[in-house]
Amino acid sequence: MATAEWHALQDTFYRKHRLYQMQWAGLDLSKFRIAASSFGGPIALQRDDRQLLEAGSAPLLDSSIHVYAASGHSIGTIEYEAGLHMAGFSWNSREELICVQEDGNVRVFSLSGRDPSSFSLGPEARERGIAECCFWDQGLVAMTQDFRFIYVNDIGEPKPRMLADAQLTQPPHCWTVVPPHLTLSRHVEVLVATGATILCVDAAGVQDQLLDQGPYARISVSPNGRLVALCSRQGRVQVVSTDFQRSFSECTSDETSSLLQVAWCGSDAAVLSFADKVQLVGPFGALLTFTQTLPAYLVQELDGVRIFTAEEHWFLSKVSEESKSVFQIGSTAPAALLYDAVDSMHAHSSRADEIVRSIRDEMPQAVDTCIAAAGAEPDVSVQQSLLRAASLGKSFLSVYNGDKLVDMCRSLRVVNNLASYSVGIPATLVQFHSLPLEAWISRMLNRNLHQLALRVCAFMDASADQVYVHWACTKIRASTLDDDALYRVLRERLETLPEGRSIASYVEIAEVANSCGYSRLATRLLLHEPRAANQVPLLISMNQEDAAMDAAVRSGDADLVYFVIFHLFKSQSLSDFFQTLSRTPSAARLFEKYCKEMGAPVLEDYYYQDDAFAKSARLIITENLSESDTSKLVANLKVALKMLNSDKSCALESRAVDMQIRLVQQQGEEYAGLTLNETLAKCLESGNYSRANKLKAEFKIPDKRFYYIKVHALVQRRDWVELARLANARKSPIGYRAFVDECIAALQFQEAAKYIPRCDAEDRASLFMRIGFYHEAAQAAMHTRDIEALRQIHSSATDPTLQHDIAQNIEQLSRS
């Protein structure tokens, strides 16, 4: 019967369900130090070196840590050096074993025991030594031999810090930790039993709770962090709030001298373990006793407590309200009636129809209750009966979402497979839902249960990449094949995944292959990695720089290429670095761009080694553009010219640099930094016409350009005599419009009027209008018979006589 394992405690029922008959044989747990993981995790045993044992008196009395599943079958062994005495050890939620040594060193082992990480608790721990430790999921608190406390909030990023000094002069009776996520301050707190009271110690200070009923032999904090169980040496058990302001229950147990351990069954009942019994202290101080023939070890869970001895493993939990609704004797709840209807239907009794009709209005509630009760029941046959009842009830409902029933069936199937003897992970449905599916897959992979993990992924419609990657890594570590044979084995499996897809990343597999000495295999595996950002760093760590550069260039990610370039620059000689760059033109261009932007002098060495004469010359010229020292500038330009002369394809550039050298020599300090045209203009503006003529002849400046520059300079200089001489010397190669425009721009209208008659006839009228010479403009327009120009002049002129004459001319031209 489903109620056969129920035990009443006032109006509450607790179930003590046997999980396993332990498969380890002949172990006396009293001779071992024990660390058991929550969520149905593994059990670690190490010989207790604080006891004197007769050699050969028991198995496993070496220094190694032996790891077992919750069912008692061996998972593996973690080699631990003899002579390294441990102050304490415990599992975290990732099933990593945290071992704190007496010298302050901490080692973190995976379930396989490979590649442990380590860190130190600091100089204080090393000097004073560690006496005891308390752990929570990802952190720990260690007590030194002089009773100071050191805490680490995160094992992944250890930063040891000291808590406040509690001024203890003798060992505390007991102490425990309130994890930071359960405290109001979000900082770890330590509850220390000393004298007749309890001290609350954190990083900020020490607070005496002013209790007088101690000394306390055991302290335990509930999973939700709201309650604390206090067990005094006189056998008094109290449950108080974490701030010690309220007392919730109190009872008197047996003499606690034989008390071994205190844990919580959920968050509303405390469990005490003695040498020959286990007692449960209920919410109102009532006691429930379970006799044991052997000492029991307690493992606190979210929804109960696991109890194991050398022979058996039990789970003690509160019976859910749904189970009570269905199975409690005399229950008339709709779910209980629906459950009875299934039995009546199997017996071919008409009573089944009567029951269904009687609860038709409450059928949805009955179905939901049966589904929830199935999730709370540990027995598979009872689960099946409840799910059949829910299915029967659902068939009488026209509208009901069956996803809840389907999800419960799927979850229970996974949970029941995990709890099998061969797997040994006795998680409840509450625990299963409290962790993501990936965490449970990881736990299966930690035990190398790849086939089961694949089936769970397929059943729960989850990605199996994690499974395939772990399988490949395990295969590599255990293989004795050569690179090629092992590559074929891996690819045959990884290329035939369901639906033709491939795993998301090969980086982790390649890392393992490289660490195991399969460097060629690692390189070949990385060729299948789709993300270059993951591929390139590993190739570099494997000294495959050329492959890393090729992968970075193929990715099109400039930052990734720069990452490889900077690594090569630091790790290789300059000549080897330049040769590597020369083999990858795109990387070379990025390197040049970076050096130019940052002004790195190494670019000159790169060009020199690569025989890039034109680029070297261009770099020299660019670097000396702002050079004010003429002699130094000429010397550098001559070096650039020599480089350009070495490259036959740079004839034009050579001539340009040669002319620039001659120009710089002609300019001297006076005109340094100016272009040829600017130099010519400065000479003309300063009246140095002979030097300007010399520059024209020296650099073969075209006449048109020379005239434009000279006309502009003479107008700016207001040298009208020289301007007239220039206009009359010979026919201007640029015409005379430029003379007029420059004079008008300088507001010299009288001078402009001198050159307008020498311009083209069709332009004279408009030019005279620009300077306000309307009479001359009218004459020029009449001369060219331009009626439109005459009309513009007529509208712009203010002289009435001129307007009258222009009107007559327009009329005359219109008639003719």
Side-chain angles (χ1 to χ4, degrees), residues 696-740:
K696 178 180 180 300
E698 174 75 18
F699 294 100
K700 299 178 181 180
I701 299 175
D703 288 343
K704 287 187 177 182
R705 191 199 311 172
F706 181 76
Y707 260 71
Y708 276 117
I709 295 173
K710 189 169 185 178
V711 168
H712 177 78
L714 293 176
V715 172
Q716 295 298 317
R717 182 176 168 76
R718 304 297 194 265
D719 192 344
W720 310 120
V721 176
E722 184 63 27
L723 184 64
R725 185 180 295 114
L726 179 65
N728 297 326
R730 64 188 180 94
K731 184 179 179 179
S732 172
I734 61 172
Y736 295 94
R737 177 68 180 265
F739 288 75
V740 176

Side-chain angles (χ1 to χ4, degrees), residues 54 97 180 194 213 256 267 269 290 295 347 360 390 395 474 481 490 506 511 583 630 669 674 734 750 766 768:
E54 180 182 353
L97 188 63
T194 178
Q213 297 177 358
T256 57
S267 294
F290 304 96
R360 181 177 295 276
S395 65
T474 305
L481 302 174
L490 295 177
Y506 282 81
E511 286 178 342
R583 294 194 294 268
T630 304
E669 299 292 339
L674 300 179
I734 61 172
Q750 291 293 337
S766 61
F768 276 124

Side-chain angles (χ1 to χ4, degrees), residues 503-515:
I503 62 173
S505 177
Y506 282 81
V507 170
E508 184 178 347
I509 305 174
E511 286 178 342
V512 172
N514 185 54
S515 65

Side-chain angles (χ1 to χ4, degrees), residues 329-482:
I329 296 175
S331 174
T332 58
L337 296 177
L338 178 60
Y339 187 78
D340 290 341
V342 175
D343 291 338
S344 298
M345 186 180 67
H346 289 163
H348 304 288
S349 171
S350 60
R351 186 170 177 273
D353 181 65
E354 296 175 4
I355 294 174
V356 170
R357 290 179 184 276
S358 67
I359 61 172
R360 181 177 295 276
D361 294 338
E362 298 173 302
M363 187 64 75
Q365 176 189 350
V367 173
D368 289 343
T369 302
C370 286
I371 293 173
E377 288 297 316
D379 189 87
V380 176
S381 61
V382 176
Q383 294 172 6
Q384 292 172 343
S385 298
L386 286 166
L387 293 174
R388 290 192 191 100
S391 179
L392 174 65
K394 184 175 72 71
S395 65
F396 289 96
L397 297 173
S398 58
V399 178
Y400 185 83
N401 187 354
D403 291 346
K404 187 182 298 185
L405 177 60
V406 173
D407 291 341
M408 180 60 72
C409 292
R410 295 170 68 184
S411 298
L412 285 177
R413 186 171 181 182
V414 175
V415 168
N416 292 334
N417 274 276
L418 291 176
S420 65
Y421 269 89
S422 58
V423 180
I425 305 178
T428 63
L429 191 68
V430 172
Q431 297 167 25
F432 180 74
H433 286 154
S434 66
L435 293 180
L437 180 63
E438 291 77 9
W440 296 105
I441 298 298
S442 295
R443 290 175 177 242
M444 288 179 253
L445 297 180
N446 289 340
R447 296 157 174 78
N448 290 329
L449 300 173
H450 300 101
Q451 190 64 37
L452 176 62
L454 279 177
R455 291 177 178 174
V456 170
C457 289
F459 189 66
M460 301 296 287
D461 195 22
S463 172
D465 283 3
Q466 179 184 3
V467 181
Y468 287 109
V469 170
H470 189 278
W471 169 83
C473 295
T474 305
K475 187 72 174 178
I476 291 171
R477 291 190 181 102
S479 178
T480 57
L481 302 174
D482 60 17

